[in-house]
Amino acid sequence: MPLLVTPAQLAALRDSAPRVAVLDVRWRLDRPDGHPDYLAGHIPGAVWVDLDRELASHHAPEDGRHPLPSLETLQAAARRWGLDDGDVVVVYDDWNSLAAARAWWLLRRSGVADVRVLDGGFRAWTDAGHPLETDDVVPEPGAVTLKPILDGVLTTDGAAQWPAAGVLLDSRAPERYRGDVEPLDPRAGHIPGARNLPAAAVLEAGRFRDAAALRAAFAEVGATPDVPVAAYCGSGITAAHTALAGALAGLEVTVYPGSWSAWSNTPGRPVATGAEPGAPG
C-alpha cells in the first residue's frame, strides 16, 4: 500500500475510490488545539481529529506526555470519524506531518491496512489551488474494528536495553539531544547509547525526502536494514514520524511511545549529555 499521497492524487482518489476517509490532525506544541484552524478551512470532507484526547491518553508522569490510547478509546474515535473496515484513510496536518504520522502509525498498527499521509500536508493542498471548506464535518458513525497493538512498541525497560543490540534513534532537535536546553521535561539530555536523527533530517521543504536520501540519512547514524532500529522523541509524536520515514526507506522502526517525557520522569534512569551517544545504560 502507498504510504504517501500528493494533493493531486488525493483529489483523484476522492473521485475514484468508493470509500476514502480524510482526517485533519492539526496539532503542534505551541498550539495543541487545532480545531479553530480546522474550522477556518480544511480539505472538503475532512473530519477533525483531537490528538490529545483521541490519539493519546494521560496517566502518571512516568508514562510520558502522550501515552498510547487504549484500544477502546482509539476504536471509539475511529468510529466517530466514520471509519469502516476496508476504507482508504488519508491523514494530514500543518506541521511537517508530525501529528499525521502519529495517526498513521496508530491506525496501521491497529490493523487499518491502507493509511496514507498527505505529503506536505495542508500547505501542499492549498498551494496546489485545491478548495477548502469551513464546516465541522460530522460523519455517520463507522463500524471499523481495530486490534490491540502488540508489536512495534518499546517500553522504558526495552529502550534501556535497545542500544546494546540495535540502534536507538532520538528524533528531537540536536540541542535537546545534547542537553543544552530542555523546555518541557524535568531533565535534559538523551538516553545513553541513543543516536540523534532529528525529524528535520528526513524532510525537505516540509515534505519527505526521496527513498535514497532517507536511506542515506538513516545509514549515517548506523540505522541499516541489518540491525534492529527503534526511535523516541519528546513524547512519542515525532518518533512515529521517524517510523514513517523509516518505512519509506525500507526500514522497520520500533517506537518508544513514552519517549523522553517518560524516561526523564522515571527515577533512576541514567542520562547522557553532549553530541555523542554515550555508553548504553
Side-chain angles (χ1 to χ4, degrees):
M1 297 290 182
L3 302 178
L4 301 179
V5 62
T6 66
Q9 289 168 338
L10 174 56
L13 192 64
R14 294 174 73 244
D15 290 336
S16 62
R19 287 282 307 182
V20 179
V22 182
L23 305 179
D24 185 309
V25 199
R26 275 183 269 187
W27 172 96
R28 59 176 66 193
L29 286 173
D30 62 341
R31 196 163 65 246
D33 182 6
H35 194 235
D37 294 323
Y38 165 84
L39 292 176
H42 56 79
I43 293 175
V47 178
W48 160 248
V49 174
D50 188 329
L51 183 146
D52 274 330
R53 293 178 175 81
E54 296 180 312
L55 302 182
S57 61
H58 301 280
H59 301 295
E62 58 268 27
D63 293 321
R65 281 181 278 114
H66 291 105
L68 300 187
S70 67
L71 173 61
E72 293 75 19
T73 294
L74 184 59
Q75 182 164 277
R79 290 179 175 180
R80 182 190 74 77
W81 308 332
L83 300 194
D84 287 315
D85 293 324
D87 283 356
V88 177
V89 182
V90 177
V91 294
Y92 72 92
D93 62 36
D94 62 353
W95 191 36
N96 293 329
S97 296
L98 298 179
R102 170 73 166 218
W104 168 85
W105 183 82
L106 276 172
L107 290 173
R108 287 291 292 264
R109 285 291 173 185
S110 298
V112 180
D114 195 348
V115 188
R116 312 177 194 185
V117 171
L118 176 61
D119 198 19
F122 182 74
R123 174 77 177 269
W125 180 266
T126 56
D127 283 353
H130 293 295
L132 299 176
E133 290 181 351
T134 57
D135 57 328
D136 202 349
V137 177
V138 181
E140 289 293 321
V144 68
T145 300
L146 303 182
K147 65 180 184 180
I149 300 175
L150 301 177
D151 57 7
V153 179
L154 208 55
T155 63
T156 296
D157 285 341
Q161 299 163 4
W162 196 277
V167 173
L168 180 62
L169 301 176
D170 185 316
S171 305
R172 296 174 300 160
E175 60 271 21
R176 290 187 71 191
Y177 171 83
R178 293 190 303 264
D180 298 345
V181 297
E182 182 43 65
L184 297 168
D185 295 311
R187 290 188 288 168
H190 60 265
I191 297 174
R195 306 176 191 186
N196 192 207
L197 182 65
V202 303
L203 297 171
E204 185 171 349
R207 303 191 185 200
F208 285 96
R209 300 170 69 185
D210 63 46
L214 289 173
R215 284 191 290 271
F218 277 95
E220 191 172 339
V221 289
T224 55
D226 57 334
V227 297
V229 181
Y232 75 94
C233 56
S235 67
I237 306 302
T238 308
H241 187 269
T242 302
L244 175 53
L248 292 166
L251 298 173
E252 180 76 20
V253 178
T254 296
V255 169
Y256 172 29
S259 287
W260 187 249
S261 58
W263 184 276
S264 63
N265 275 289
T266 302
R269 294 295 178 184
V271 171
T273 57
E276 298 301 319

